[in-house]
Amino acid sequence: MSTSKPWGGRFRQATDHRVESFTLSLDFDRRLYGHDIRGSIAHARMLAHVGVLTGTECDQIVTGLKQIKSDIERGEFEWLPALEDVHMNIELRLTERIGEVGKKLHTGRSRNDQVATDLRLYLRDAVDEILSAIVATQVSLFDIAEREAETIMPGFTHMQVAQPVTVGHHVMAWSEMLERDVQRLFEVRQRINIMPLGAAALSGTSFPIDRTFTARELGFDVPSANSLDAVSDRDFVIEFVADAAILMVHLSRMAEELILWSSEPFGFIQIGDAFCTGSSIMPQKKNPDVAELTRAKSGRVFGHLVAILSVMKGQPLAYNRDNQEDKELSFDTVDTVLACLEVMLGMMSDVQFQRERLLAAAQRGYSTATDLAEYLVSKGVPFRDAHEAVGKTVRYALEQHKSLSDLSLEELRVFSGEIQEDVFDRLTVEGSVGVRVHLGGTAPSEVRKSVQNARERLTHHRDLLGRLPR
Ligand code: ARG
């Protein structure tokens, strides 16, 4: 007696129902149906190209697969959990639809190279989608940076007021973080875009396959170089999730600043009502939940990174069922990253900067003390002596409850005889940011230049994204 499984030939007993549900992947790997069908079509065409299938057989298979795809998309496909996964569901339906010839599709192929191919195709699309979402977020940051190029705010170190900066400069720092994410994703895309098909179960196949043909059909850069590695490698998942985790670090940092800045004591920004929620008990509350959830969702992606590292650690060559655990975490990583980017983009476009509050905050906390020290250096005082003199000036001003620019020339000259009337230009926050005109500086003119450069860089990214094979 043989069981009803496609692999049931050598089995005498039916699968235990607990094993069936334990090993089932259909619930989540269904999501790969489009990539699976695309891979199968390419495989069938290759088999026809090398003469393993006739042209007619190939046409029947391709037509059948396309019909199945449209059945799935119309919700008219009956998924059978007993068939374990997306691959066998589609393959068995193909045979039901087109008859015996459907059974020829799996020639020279295994689910091991098939699933690795599907996941690579899926992640390649996901990377492209994430890249477009990051680029869109960067554009909204550029718009803010240009609008707020002159807006002065306190810059912080240790969360203490340090020196004045411009809002444009701060926002462009976020964009730089995202820029590195873009670069990382372009790099991981190259390592994703390698084709496992042809490795079959682990050792390749006796059929005269043309792997370059299949790779070209699927937009892969090259076929993998070793069949054992091809079916077992999940480095591309590890790397992708690691890159996603770093991206989530960045989004969580941006989110955290938005949360702080929108709080009453800061009052630096107003987040649009559409991106906040209320409290069920405190009628006055307007909460930055979107930013909070973005901050928190970084945790799941970090968890997925540890999970996939653990799945792969110590795995012997070649394919093991362990690898089935790569999918849910990959899917959740993609969903989480895209969802966070989407709301972040919306929220960013709806943030109002409270220019007066920002300016007032920058003026507090002796943020131009370093400027006073640099002024003294420009008058010939060695930096360490200047630092000491300004430290004493700040202590005096603190005792007098005055800011540095409130001190009179006479008061200032007590601490250094080099101080002249021209010092007052340097003690204002506008003066402080205005002189930082070097590459990477916070002056409004530099912010505008950096936005212009970043916009050009982005045009290159967009061009590249448009030209990539897929
Ligand atoms: N569902 C499996 C996975 O995700 C497909 C490959 C199964 N291969 C096997 N020999 N059982 O990895």
Side-chain angles (χ1 to χ4, degrees):
M1 180 196 97
S2 127
T3 63
S4 61
K5 302 285 184 209
W7 39 254
R10 62 101 69 215
F11 287 78
R12 283 186 197 289
Q13 284 182 324
T15 315
D16 186 285
H17 68 277
R18 287 163 295 196
V19 173
E20 245 172 27
S21 60
F22 187 68
T23 57
L24 183 75
S25 60
L26 181 65
D27 291 346
F28 50 85
D29 68 14
R30 273 186 207 205
R31 185 196 284 233
L32 294 173
Y33 77 88
H35 300 100
D36 193 70
I37 288 172
R38 188 171 170 202
S40 290
I41 290 176
H43 179 65
R45 287 192 177 134
M46 183 278 290
L47 290 177
H49 173 72
V50 299
V52 171
L53 291 180
T54 67
T56 319
E57 287 171 333
C58 173
D59 290 345
Q60 283 174 284
I61 289 175
V62 170
T63 308
L65 286 168
K66 286 182 177 166
Q67 282 167 347
I68 289 174
K69 183 159 186 247
S70 86
D71 286 351
I72 295 172
E73 276 156 10
R74 277 180 290 116
E76 284 167 18
F77 187 93
E78 196 199 342
W79 296 98
L80 300 175
L83 295 178
E84 286 183 20
D85 58 28
V86 63
H87 322 293
M88 294 207 293
N89 266 271
I90 291 173
E91 195 193 319
L92 277 121
R93 179 61 49 83
L94 180 67
T95 301
E96 275 171 29
R97 267 192 169 270
I98 67 171
E100 290 297 291
V101 61
K103 294 183 180 170
K104 294 192 176 184
L105 170 63
H106 212 50
T107 310
R109 182 176 82 165
S110 151
R111 274 186 295 157
N112 298 351
D113 59 345
Q114 188 179 353
V115 73
T117 302
D118 291 3
L119 192 61
R120 284 175 183 271
L121 289 173
Y122 168 83
L123 282 181
R124 185 178 72 186
D125 283 349
V127 163
D128 293 351
E129 215 181 319
I130 294 170
L131 277 168
S132 311
I134 299 177
V135 163
T137 309
Q138 284 181 297
V139 171
S140 82
L141 295 180
F142 299 162
D143 295 343
I144 297 175
E146 270 166 351
R147 207 164 56 233
E148 309 296 342
E150 317 246 346
T151 308
I152 293 175
M153 66 175 284
F156 298 90
T157 58
H158 312 269
M159 230 20 238
Q160 308 294 315
V161 172
Q163 293 184 313
V165 294
T166 51
V167 168
H169 195 53
H170 192 115
V171 166
M172 286 307 285
W174 290 342
S175 169
E176 284 302 307
M177 298 180 192
L178 296 181
E179 180 58 29
R180 291 189 292 276
D181 295 316
V182 168
Q183 288 172 15
R184 265 185 288 272
L185 286 166
F186 273 121
E187 282 168 27
V188 73
R189 194 189 192 281
Q190 295 176 3
R191 282 181 292 279
I192 290 173
N193 207 27
I194 294 171
M195 188 194 69
L197 274 182
L202 75 164
S203 70
T205 175
S206 60
F207 296 99
I209 54 174
D210 181 345
R211 302 185 66 212
T212 308
F213 178 97
T214 325
R216 209 176 312 120
E217 285 281 304
L218 294 171
F220 281 118
D221 294 327
V222 278
S224 56
N226 179 298
S227 65
L228 294 170
D229 183 50
V231 292
S232 82
D233 171 40
R234 293 296 184 273
D235 289 3
F236 65 99
V237 180
I238 299 177
E239 260 190 90
F240 167 73
V241 180
D243 293 353
I246 300 175
L247 169 59
M248 290 304 297
V249 168
H250 296 154
L251 295 182
S252 78
R253 295 181 66 186
M254 292 160 65
E256 169 69 1
E257 292 190 311
L258 294 178
I259 293 164
L260 283 175
W261 293 356
S262 66
S263 73
E264 182 54 40
F266 274 82
F268 287 2
I269 56 168
Q270 287 277 351
I271 301 176
D273 283 0
F275 287 88
C276 290
T277 56
S279 157
S280 55
I281 171 169
M282 297 167 284
Q284 86 286 10
K285 291 297 290 294
K286 177 173 151 184
N287 297 328
D289 297 32
V290 167
E292 290 169 298
L293 279 170
T294 302
R295 183 174 61 181
K297 280 179 191 290
S298 57
R300 15 182 346 142
V301 178
F302 304 165
H304 296 327
L305 177 58
V306 175
I308 185 63
L309 285 167
S310 313
V311 165
M312 296 313 295
K313 180 190 172 294
Q315 245 200 69
L317 287 171
Y319 176 85
N320 302 281
R321 192 63 176 262
D322 305 47
N323 285 0
Q324 179 166 297
E325 286 291 310
D326 63 358
K327 274 167 226 57
E328 284 163 289
L329 65 88
S330 295
F331 298 157
D332 189 67
T333 298
V334 172
D335 292 345
T336 303
V337 164
L338 283 173
C340 291
L341 281 167
E342 196 184 357
V343 289
M344 206 53 151
L345 172 61
M347 191 165 48
M348 279 297 172
S349 324
D350 208 5
V351 165
Q352 294 296 327
F353 284 84
Q354 308 297 301
R355 293 179 184 162
E356 270 139 51
R357 284 290 288 257
L358 286 156
L359 179 64
Q363 284 163 336
R364 286 194 304 268
Y366 304 95
S367 64
T368 56
T370 311
D371 295 87
L372 179 54
E374 287 175 3
Y375 169 88
L376 290 176
V377 171
S378 75
K379 300 284 177 187
V381 180
F383 184 77
R384 274 297 146 222
D385 294 340
H387 188 286
E388 170 79 14
V390 177
K392 288 182 173 150
T393 315
V394 167
R395 193 169 65 204
Y396 170 80
L398 269 168
E399 285 160 7
Q400 303 295 310
H401 303 290
K402 286 180 176 175
S403 74
L404 286 179
S405 54
D406 291 339
L407 298 178
S408 67
L409 188 55
E410 291 65 45
E411 285 176 297
L412 285 167
R413 284 177 62 89
V414 171
F415 301 97
S416 172
E418 303 301 329
I419 298 179
Q420 314 288 331
E421 188 62 44
D422 62 351
V423 73
F424 291 105
D425 294 340
R426 302 292 300 275
L427 294 182
T428 64
V429 290
E430 291 82 359
S432 172
V433 300
V435 292
R436 287 165 161 73
V437 287
H438 53 78
L439 183 72
T442 193
S445 58
E446 279 308 314
V447 170
R448 291 199 182 92
K449 272 190 231 164
S450 77
V451 176
Q452 224 177 325
N453 291 338
R455 281 196 199 276
E456 273 165 39
R457 232 170 18 187
L458 219 78
T459 310
H460 289 302
H461 293 335
R462 279 208 176 112
D463 287 351
L464 180 57
L465 204 53
R467 277 187 280 110
L468 288 171
R470 40 178 77 83

